[in-house]
């Protein structure tokens, strides 16, 4: 991951990543050795016991340490600092694909996940599905998890945060975008044809006699292809989209702009 991106993560996550690297480099000993106590860890890192417990649990979740009686011991294979490998554990399953979607509650993405899973299963692959909920930190965590598992490739609908582009630009794992593509990143993409979709929508509205139109979109999308296609198609049919009828909301607060 890019250092500038890590600097924006919560302190507990950054410390965990630092300690993870040190564990894998042999800084704390070899597999089976006892790890420091929670109190010692808190003292050494200059953090509270609550934060220390949180980080210890994160290290356990990453399969780096495990509980042995009342203490923790190292459970990850380590090496000497001179031969420290890239922090990517090997996986026994080379047919696993990761799928990242922005909102699993959205019927579109739920249906998409269903059919991707069916297609993967038919090809003898296992699919891991995770939702970022437009949370940049969560998206980073998912990508890091997929990387550590060793997935063969990642299918992703990227979020809308400022640093999302750099996050995917630094990725080495084979990547396919779905639903939305980031500019200037070389990757295949499966996208909605916004021009055709806008035409279907406008034709339907005109057929049922509508003459006043509105649009509800996502504030974080500076260049919104859906809005651009919708507006252009309305103009073709002799209508205009009043600027006052264009509503943009934060991705996590869409309910605030909807009736009821």
């Amino acid at each position: 991951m890019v250092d500038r991106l890590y600097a924006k993560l919560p302190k507990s996550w950054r410390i965990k990543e630092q300690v993870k690297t040190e564990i894998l480099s042999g800084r704390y000993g070899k597999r089976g050795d006892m790890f420091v106590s929670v109190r010692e860890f808190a003292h050494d890192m200059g953090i509270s016991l609550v934060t220390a417990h949180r980080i210890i649990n994160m290290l356990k979740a990453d399969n780096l340490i495990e509980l042995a009686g009342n203490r923790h011991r190292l459970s990850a294979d380590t090496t000497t600092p001179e031969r420290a490998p890239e922090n990517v554990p090997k996986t026994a399953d080379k047919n696993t694909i990761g799928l990242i979607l922005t909102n699993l509650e959205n019927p579109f993405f739920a249906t998409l996940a269903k059919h991707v899973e069916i297609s993967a299963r038919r090809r003898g692959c296992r699919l891991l599905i995770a939702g970022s909920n437009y949370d940049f930190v969560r998206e980073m965590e998912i990508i890091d998890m997929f990387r550590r598992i060793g997935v063969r490739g990642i299918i992703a609908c990227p979020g809308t945060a400022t640093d999302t582009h750099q996050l995917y630009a630094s990725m080495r794992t084979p990547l396919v975008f779905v639903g939305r593509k980031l500019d200037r990143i070389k990757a295949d993409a499966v996208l909605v044809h916004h021009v055709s979709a806008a035409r279907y929508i406008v034709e339907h509205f005109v057929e049922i006699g509508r003459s006043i139109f509105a649009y509800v979109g996502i504030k974080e999308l500076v260049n919104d292809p859906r809005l651009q296609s919708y507006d252009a198609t309305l103009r073709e049919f002799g209508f205009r989209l009043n600027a006052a009828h264009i509503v943009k909301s934060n991705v996590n607060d869409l309910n605030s702009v909807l009736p009821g």
Side-chain angles (χ1 to χ4, degrees), residues 233-256:
T233 306
L234 282 172
R235 292 174 184 273
E236 288 182 21
F237 279 78
F239 299 97
R240 296 186 66 85
L241 182 59
N242 193 315
H245 295 166
I246 299 176
V247 181
K248 291 291 191 76
S249 173
N250 181 280
V251 291
N252 293 317
D253 195 29
L254 289 176
N255 289 332
S256 65

mmCIF file of all heavy atoms in Angstrom, residues 233-256:
data_model
loop_
_atom_site.group_PDB
_atom_site.id
_atom_site.type_symbol
_atom_site.label_atom_id
_atom_site.label_comp_id
_atom_site.label_asym_id
_atom_site.label_seq_id
_atom_site.Cartn_x
_atom_site.Cartn_y
_atom_site.Cartn_z
ATOM 1 N N THR A 233 -30.148 13.209 -23.262
ATOM 2 C CA THR A 233 -31.281 12.540 -23.895
ATOM 3 C C THR A 233 -32.554 13.361 -23.745
ATOM 4 O O THR A 233 -33.370 13.445 -24.673
ATOM 5 C CB THR A 233 -31.486 11.137 -23.295
ATOM 6 O OG1 THR A 233 -30.257 10.404 -23.373
ATOM 7 C CG2 THR A 233 -32.571 10.378 -24.045
ATOM 8 N N LEU A 234 -32.739 13.990 -22.589
ATOM 9 C CA LEU A 234 -33.898 14.865 -22.403
ATOM 10 C C LEU A 234 -33.886 16.000 -23.422
ATOM 11 O O LEU A 234 -34.931 16.375 -23.986
ATOM 12 C CB LEU A 234 -33.914 15.424 -20.981
ATOM 13 C CG LEU A 234 -34.399 14.484 -19.878
ATOM 14 C CD1 LEU A 234 -34.180 15.120 -18.506
ATOM 15 C CD2 LEU A 234 -35.870 14.128 -20.069
ATOM 16 N N ARG A 235 -32.717 16.547 -23.685
ATOM 17 C CA ARG A 235 -32.600 17.629 -24.659
ATOM 18 C C ARG A 235 -32.980 17.149 -26.056
ATOM 19 O O ARG A 235 -33.602 17.876 -26.836
ATOM 20 C CB ARG A 235 -31.172 18.184 -24.645
ATOM 21 C CG ARG A 235 -30.811 18.925 -23.363
ATOM 22 C CD ARG A 235 -29.343 19.326 -23.359
ATOM 23 N NE ARG A 235 -28.958 19.950 -22.101
ATOM 24 C CZ ARG A 235 -29.076 21.250 -21.844
ATOM 25 N NH1 ARG A 235 -29.547 22.065 -22.783
ATOM 26 N NH2 ARG A 235 -28.717 21.741 -20.681
ATOM 27 N N GLU A 236 -32.612 15.914 -26.383
ATOM 28 C CA GLU A 236 -32.971 15.355 -27.687
ATOM 29 C C GLU A 236 -34.491 15.284 -27.858
ATOM 30 O O GLU A 236 -35.009 15.442 -28.970
ATOM 31 C CB GLU A 236 -32.373 13.956 -27.843
ATOM 32 C CG GLU A 236 -30.871 13.918 -28.041
ATOM 33 C CD GLU A 236 -30.376 12.498 -28.229
ATOM 34 O OE1 GLU A 236 -31.202 11.634 -28.592
ATOM 35 O OE2 GLU A 236 -29.173 12.251 -27.998
ATOM 36 N N PHE A 237 -35.181 15.051 -26.743
ATOM 37 C CA PHE A 237 -36.642 14.929 -26.793
ATOM 38 C C PHE A 237 -37.325 16.282 -26.588
ATOM 39 O O PHE A 237 -38.545 16.353 -26.475
ATOM 40 C CB PHE A 237 -37.114 13.933 -25.733
ATOM 41 C CG PHE A 237 -36.982 12.497 -26.145
ATOM 42 C CD1 PHE A 237 -35.758 11.856 -26.118
ATOM 43 C CD2 PHE A 237 -38.080 11.774 -26.571
ATOM 44 C CE1 PHE A 237 -35.616 10.542 -26.496
ATOM 45 C CE2 PHE A 237 -37.974 10.447 -26.955
ATOM 46 C CZ PHE A 237 -36.728 9.821 -26.925
ATOM 47 N N GLY A 238 -36.553 17.341 -26.506
ATOM 48 C CA GLY A 238 -37.123 18.680 -26.386
ATOM 49 C C GLY A 238 -37.410 19.126 -24.969
ATOM 50 O O GLY A 238 -38.150 20.091 -24.761
ATOM 51 N N PHE A 239 -36.819 18.460 -23.990
ATOM 52 C CA PHE A 239 -37.035 18.826 -22.591
ATOM 53 C C PHE A 239 -35.720 19.316 -21.976
ATOM 54 O O PHE A 239 -34.642 19.088 -22.506
ATOM 55 C CB PHE A 239 -37.570 17.650 -21.785
ATOM 56 C CG PHE A 239 -38.905 17.133 -22.262
ATOM 57 C CD1 PHE A 239 -38.978 16.031 -23.112
ATOM 58 C CD2 PHE A 239 -40.081 17.759 -21.873
ATOM 59 C CE1 PHE A 239 -40.207 15.559 -23.542
ATOM 60 C CE2 PHE A 239 -41.314 17.284 -22.305
ATOM 61 C CZ PHE A 239 -41.373 16.177 -23.147
ATOM 62 N N ARG A 240 -35.834 19.963 -20.823
ATOM 63 C CA ARG A 240 -34.656 20.418 -20.105
ATOM 64 C C ARG A 240 -34.724 19.923 -18.657
ATOM 65 O O ARG A 240 -35.816 19.828 -18.083
ATOM 66 C CB ARG A 240 -34.551 21.946 -20.126
ATOM 67 C CG ARG A 240 -34.360 22.528 -21.515
ATOM 68 C CD ARG A 240 -34.123 24.033 -21.450
ATOM 69 N NE ARG A 240 -32.856 24.351 -20.791
ATOM 70 C CZ ARG A 240 -31.686 24.385 -21.431
ATOM 71 N NH1 ARG A 240 -31.622 24.115 -22.715
ATOM 72 N NH2 ARG A 240 -30.579 24.707 -20.775
ATOM 73 N N LEU A 241 -33.571 19.644 -18.119
ATOM 74 C CA LEU A 241 -33.485 19.220 -16.720
ATOM 75 C C LEU A 241 -33.126 20.442 -15.891
ATOM 76 O O LEU A 241 -32.000 20.939 -15.939
ATOM 77 C CB LEU A 241 -32.416 18.131 -16.557
ATOM 78 C CG LEU A 241 -32.236 17.546 -15.152
ATOM 79 C CD1 LEU A 241 -33.524 16.919 -14.656
ATOM 80 C CD2 LEU A 241 -31.108 16.514 -15.154
ATOM 81 N N ASN A 242 -34.095 20.940 -15.157
ATOM 82 C CA ASN A 242 -33.887 22.130 -14.335
ATOM 83 C C ASN A 242 -32.831 21.859 -13.268
ATOM 84 O O ASN A 242 -32.861 20.832 -12.582
ATOM 85 C CB ASN A 242 -35.215 22.525 -13.670
ATOM 86 C CG ASN A 242 -35.166 23.904 -13.054
ATOM 87 O OD1 ASN A 242 -34.205 24.254 -12.387
ATOM 88 N ND2 ASN A 242 -36.214 24.687 -13.275
ATOM 89 N N ALA A 243 -31.887 22.795 -13.139
ATOM 90 C CA ALA A 243 -30.813 22.616 -12.164
ATOM 91 C C ALA A 243 -31.352 22.446 -10.749
ATOM 92 O O ALA A 243 -30.756 21.742 -9.921
ATOM 93 C CB ALA A 243 -29.859 23.807 -12.219
ATOM 94 N N ALA A 244 -32.490 23.068 -10.473
ATOM 95 C CA ALA A 244 -33.093 22.954 -9.140
ATOM 96 C C ALA A 244 -33.627 21.552 -8.877
ATOM 97 O O ALA A 244 -33.905 21.190 -7.723
ATOM 98 C CB ALA A 244 -34.205 23.983 -8.982
ATOM 99 N N HIS A 245 -33.792 20.774 -9.933
ATOM 100 C CA HIS A 245 -34.330 19.410 -9.801
ATOM 101 C C HIS A 245 -33.224 18.357 -9.787
ATOM 102 O O HIS A 245 -33.514 17.169 -9.842
ATOM 103 C CB HIS A 245 -35.303 19.118 -10.946
ATOM 104 C CG HIS A 245 -36.518 19.969 -10.925
ATOM 105 N ND1 HIS A 245 -37.392 20.076 -12.009
ATOM 106 C CD2 HIS A 245 -37.031 20.773 -9.959
ATOM 107 C CE1 HIS A 245 -38.366 20.901 -11.713
ATOM 108 N NE2 HIS A 245 -38.165 21.339 -10.462
ATOM 109 N N ILE A 246 -31.978 18.803 -9.741
ATOM 110 C CA ILE A 246 -30.854 17.870 -9.642
ATOM 111 C C ILE A 246 -30.423 17.814 -8.179
ATOM 112 O O ILE A 246 -29.955 18.796 -7.611
ATOM 113 C CB ILE A 246 -29.664 18.319 -10.518
ATOM 114 C CG1 ILE A 246 -30.084 18.383 -11.984
ATOM 115 C CG2 ILE A 246 -28.485 17.365 -10.341
ATOM 116 C CD1 ILE A 246 -29.001 18.918 -12.895
ATOM 117 N N VAL A 247 -30.605 16.679 -7.561
ATOM 118 C CA VAL A 247 -30.309 16.507 -6.136
ATOM 119 C C VAL A 247 -29.099 15.602 -5.985
ATOM 120 O O VAL A 247 -29.072 14.486 -6.502
ATOM 121 C CB VAL A 247 -31.515 15.914 -5.389
ATOM 122 C CG1 VAL A 247 -31.191 15.757 -3.904
ATOM 123 C CG2 VAL A 247 -32.749 16.763 -5.593
ATOM 124 N N LYS A 248 -28.079 16.089 -5.298
ATOM 125 C CA LYS A 248 -26.886 15.285 -5.041
ATOM 126 C C LYS A 248 -26.757 15.069 -3.539
ATOM 127 O O LYS A 248 -26.829 16.009 -2.759
ATOM 128 C CB LYS A 248 -25.632 16.004 -5.569
ATOM 129 C CG LYS A 248 -25.552 16.100 -7.092
ATOM 130 C CD LYS A 248 -25.322 14.726 -7.694
ATOM 131 C CE LYS A 248 -24.981 14.806 -9.179
ATOM 132 N NZ LYS A 248 -23.607 15.236 -9.416
ATOM 133 N N SER A 249 -26.538 13.817 -3.146
ATOM 134 C CA SER A 249 -26.425 13.491 -1.728
ATOM 135 C C SER A 249 -25.161 12.694 -1.471
ATOM 136 O O SER A 249 -24.631 12.026 -2.367
ATOM 137 C CB SER A 249 -27.639 12.686 -1.276
ATOM 138 O OG SER A 249 -27.479 12.211 0.050
ATOM 139 N N ASN A 250 -24.675 12.761 -0.233
ATOM 140 C CA ASN A 250 -23.578 11.918 0.194
ATOM 141 C C ASN A 250 -24.001 10.460 0.058
ATOM 142 O O ASN A 250 -25.155 10.109 0.309
ATOM 143 C CB ASN A 250 -23.220 12.239 1.645
ATOM 144 C CG ASN A 250 -22.054 11.409 2.135
ATOM 145 O OD1 ASN A 250 -22.206 10.251 2.497
ATOM 146 N ND2 ASN A 250 -20.873 12.005 2.142
ATOM 147 N N VAL A 251 -23.070 9.593 -0.325
ATOM 148 C CA VAL A 251 -23.397 8.192 -0.584
ATOM 149 C C VAL A 251 -23.990 7.494 0.636
ATOM 150 O O VAL A 251 -24.737 6.534 0.499
ATOM 151 C CB VAL A 251 -22.155 7.432 -1.064
ATOM 152 C CG1 VAL A 251 -21.741 7.872 -2.436
ATOM 153 C CG2 VAL A 251 -21.003 7.571 -0.071
ATOM 154 N N ASN A 252 -23.644 7.950 1.826
ATOM 155 C CA ASN A 252 -24.154 7.311 3.042
ATOM 156 C C ASN A 252 -25.374 8.000 3.617
ATOM 157 O O ASN A 252 -25.815 7.688 4.714
ATOM 158 C CB ASN A 252 -23.032 7.277 4.101
ATOM 159 C CG ASN A 252 -21.895 6.367 3.699
ATOM 160 O OD1 ASN A 252 -22.114 5.278 3.207
ATOM 161 N ND2 ASN A 252 -20.676 6.829 3.901
ATOM 162 N N ASP A 253 -25.937 8.960 2.876
ATOM 163 C CA ASP A 253 -27.068 9.722 3.399
ATOM 164 C C ASP A 253 -28.146 9.910 2.339
ATOM 165 O O ASP A 253 -28.793 10.938 2.282
ATOM 166 C CB ASP A 253 -26.583 11.073 3.902
ATOM 167 C CG ASP A 253 -27.622 11.767 4.792
ATOM 168 O OD1 ASP A 253 -28.396 11.035 5.442
ATOM 169 O OD2 ASP A 253 -27.667 13.004 4.826
ATOM 170 N N LEU A 254 -28.327 8.909 1.467
ATOM 171 C CA LEU A 254 -29.299 9.030 0.389
ATOM 172 C C LEU A 254 -30.728 9.126 0.919
ATOM 173 O O LEU A 254 -31.589 9.747 0.286
ATOM 174 C CB LEU A 254 -29.182 7.840 -0.569
ATOM 175 C CG LEU A 254 -27.920 7.814 -1.447
ATOM 176 C CD1 LEU A 254 -27.886 6.530 -2.269
ATOM 177 C CD2 LEU A 254 -27.883 9.020 -2.367
ATOM 178 N N ASN A 255 -30.998 8.531 2.081
ATOM 179 C CA ASN A 255 -32.362 8.571 2.617
ATOM 180 C C ASN A 255 -32.811 9.989 2.939
ATOM 181 O O ASN A 255 -34.008 10.271 2.972
ATOM 182 C CB ASN A 255 -32.455 7.697 3.873
ATOM 183 C CG ASN A 255 -32.365 6.215 3.570
ATOM 184 O OD1 ASN A 255 -32.743 5.798 2.472
ATOM 185 N ND2 ASN A 255 -31.870 5.449 4.511
ATOM 186 N N SER A 256 -31.857 10.882 3.160
ATOM 187 C CA SER A 256 -32.212 12.243 3.543
ATOM 188 C C SER A 256 -32.840 13.030 2.392
ATOM 189 O O SER A 256 -33.500 14.037 2.616
ATOM 190 C CB SER A 256 -30.961 13.002 4.028
ATOM 191 O OG SER A 256 -30.025 13.163 2.966
#
